Amino acid sequence: SIFLIFSPLFLVQASVYLSYMLSFLLNLLFLLCFLKSVRRSGWVYPLLAGLSIGVAAFARPYTALLFALPVAGYALHLLTRKRLSLLTVALLLMGSLPGVALTLGYNNLMTGSALQFPFNTSSSQDTLGFGTKQMWSDQALFDYTPGAALDSTQAALIETVKWVFGGALLVILAGLSFLRRRWKSRMALLVGIIASVAIGNALQWGTLNITFGEAPLSKYMGPFYYMDLLLPLCLLGARGFFDAVRLLRRPWRRVHWAAFKANQSGAPSLTTAVVLALTIPLVAVTAYLMGRALDANFRYTVKHAAIYSPVVNGRLESALVFLPTPYGPFIHHPFGYLLNDPSFNVPVVYARNLGNENLELMKAMPERRTYVYQYQGKFSERAEDVAPVSLLRIQPVEGRFLSVDMEAVNTTNKPFVWAYIWNGEKTLTYLLDDQSGSGKAYRFRWYIAADRLYFDGPNKGRAEATIQGLSGKTTLNVAVAFSRTRERKQQEIFEYRYWFTSKDGVLTLGAPGEPWRDTAWPDDAWVSGDISSTVRAGVSVVPGS
């Protein structure tokens, strides 16, 4: 129990809102009740064992399967030795039926098939085994090979050693327990759990995600797919600890311990001295591993506190906040704390940033002040990458004829300066200057109506065709681009994206627009950021329109 409770993996997973610790608890209850049913006759323990593994199957089906397989092998061994009755096995299976039925019913409700699990709906390639894999349908495919499985499993097992009490010392003690005792069926059960968890997780490509990549999850949350390894490691390690005490007592008897004890009042017993000699290095290693694990985890706490700070510290009242979706529409990360209550009668309502569709929600909640969450830069999972964050107030500007007044300063020292407006895969572009330099400023204006666009400003040649009619399928993007060549192969682009609707000739824009930049288009990625030092824009209704 001591080895388990003070394992970094146990402590970290016990404090996060994930299902791995719950699954571990249910698996342990299953094994405990199963062993009780072997020792004692009756119907209570077999039913409780079945119920535990059934609920575990609902929480994490594959994890429960990997844990149950070695136990099933052990049960078969006991059946052949006539140390387990068929009635006990039948009661165990009966107890598991509610959980299994719940799992199959949930699958049918979510996917339309009892045998198809919900995670397969995000991508048909998100399956067990080797071959072509994909987490989300809009992500790139990759090939999960046996070599990749071997590498990820080896890395995950090494990482597991760093997340248990005593680290490698505990593994050594666990190995000692094998050498000191005859091979028994229960020892085989523990080894079977180790093999099942290690080999079984090699068949799921998710192990690759937690061990490698930009910010491996196992570095700050531990190798959570391997939670069940804590059981055999801690049990065998505890047995090995007492075996080591017995082994070390023998050579110590040969020294002048009796003389030492006679001359030292209150000297510790031989057993106490040996226990301390073993405990001190175990505790020292654990303290180091614990500090390492908790520090890595706490750095993400600090990062997420910074992510939440605009909302937490803003003391918002009657607000509507649109959040970005860096992982697509299915995952709320990293904004798991920013959730709506069942009622909309709350200080803040959160919504996904869906571009033009945001205006409909703003119209439905006119009494709320609207903000869009700005994460400046590309979102990264690395703890040390904490970009500036802020809330940008968005207000609708409505009219039949709108103007977007812009001021731009060349902060790139590139000679070619372009102004363009983009909407619905159509672009209208003007060349402002072909001999620009650092610090040179420009003023220009776009006049926008539902069916036409006008440009007013310095013009050294129109580069592309006009836009006839605006599309409500995309945002209205107004930008300034700086290029070294007239061909604009490599540009630095600073852009405002306006939520946009048009109805009966009346335009609505969400001002001041979301600022974006791309410092090496088309090779670099678009990121949100503060572009006010380069471009500023203001939206207004044209008088008399």
Side-chain angles (χ1 to χ4, degrees), residues 435-474:
Q435 295 181 349
S436 184
S438 181
K440 192 171 182 179
Y442 303 89
R443 290 175 178 266
F444 55 94
R445 177 178 296 169
W446 293 97
Y447 290 102
I448 305 171
D451 57 349
R452 59 194 183 278
L453 294 168
Y454 298 101
F455 176 77
D456 180 18
N459 177 17
K460 292 195 174 183
R462 179 180 298 173
E464 299 176 30
T466 60
I467 297 178
Q468 295 181 348
L470 298 176
S471 169
K473 296 180 180 180
T474 63

Side-chain angles (χ1 to χ4, degrees), residues 317-335:
E317 293 291 338
S318 189
L320 171 63
V321 178
F322 288 99
L323 301 173
T325 54
Y327 290 91
F330 299 104
I331 300 181
H332 195 47
H333 179 72
F335 304 104

Side-chain angles (χ1 to χ4, degrees), residues 203-241:
L203 294 176
Q204 66 135 336
W205 64 272
T207 306
L208 200 65
N209 283 346
I210 71 168
T211 51
F212 299 113
E214 178 187 53
L217 294 175
S218 63
K219 297 297 182 183
Y220 67 97
M221 295 184 65
F224 41 79
Y225 287 157
Y226 296 81
M227 276 289 299
D228 290 333
L229 291 186
L230 288 177
L231 171 65
L233 285 177
C234 291
L235 277 176
L236 294 173
R239 293 180 63 170
F241 179 86

Side-chain angles (χ1 to χ4, degrees), residues 368-430:
R368 291 188 175 271
R369 296 165 67 94
T370 302
Y371 301 88
V372 60
Y373 183 101
Q374 294 283 292
Y375 187 97
Q376 296 184 22
K378 183 180 179 182
F379 181 76
S380 165
E381 283 294 343
R382 298 182 351 135
E384 55 270 26
D385 293 342
V386 183
V389 295
S390 61
L391 292 179
L392 177 65
R393 177 74 191 281
I394 298 291
Q395 293 178 295
V397 178
E398 192 174 89
R400 291 187 174 275
F401 209 18
L402 305 179
S403 69
V404 179
D405 295 272
M406 306 194 74
E407 298 179 8
V409 177
N410 191 340
T411 56
T412 69
N413 201 30
K414 294 180 178 179
F416 292 90
V417 183
W418 310 82
Y420 74 77
I421 194 165
W422 180 94
N423 174 257
E425 302 298 334
K426 299 177 181 179
T427 306
L428 180 61
T429 306
Y430 288 90

Side-chain angles (χ1 to χ4, degrees), residues 254-307:
R254 299 170 187 172
V255 301
H256 300 291
W257 183 261
F260 173 77
K261 186 175 182 181
N263 297 327
Q264 301 290 330
S265 60
S269 69
L270 182 60
T271 301
T272 302
V274 174
V275 168
L276 286 174
L278 286 172
T279 302
I280 290 173
L282 279 171
V283 171
V285 171
T286 302
Y288 168 75
L289 295 176
M290 188 79 72
R292 171 182 169 271
L294 295 182
D295 177 68
N297 196 269
F298 183 70
R299 281 188 280 118
Y300 279 90
T301 300
V302 173
K303 175 174 181 170
H304 288 146
I307 289 175

Side-chain angles (χ1 to χ4, degrees), residues 43-124:
W43 56 271
V44 176
Y45 282 117
L47 285 178
L48 288 177
L51 181 64
S52 298
I53 197 64
V55 179
F58 178 74
R60 292 197 61 80
Y62 192 57
T63 300
L65 175 65
L66 295 182
F67 192 89
L69 284 176
V71 180
Y74 182 54
L76 183 62
H77 167 75
L78 295 178
L79 277 173
T80 58
R81 300 282 298 272
K82 296 184 179 180
R83 293 172 54 192
L84 185 68
S85 67
L86 286 174
L87 177 61
T88 299
V89 175
L91 289 170
L92 194 153
L93 293 174
M94 186 182 303
S96 68
L97 285 179
V100 174
L102 179 64
T103 303
L104 298 178
Y106 178 79
N107 288 350
N108 187 70
L109 178 66
M110 299 299 292
T111 68
S113 171
L115 299 179
Q116 182 178 1
F117 289 87
F119 60 81
N120 293 133
T121 60
S122 62
S123 172
S124 59

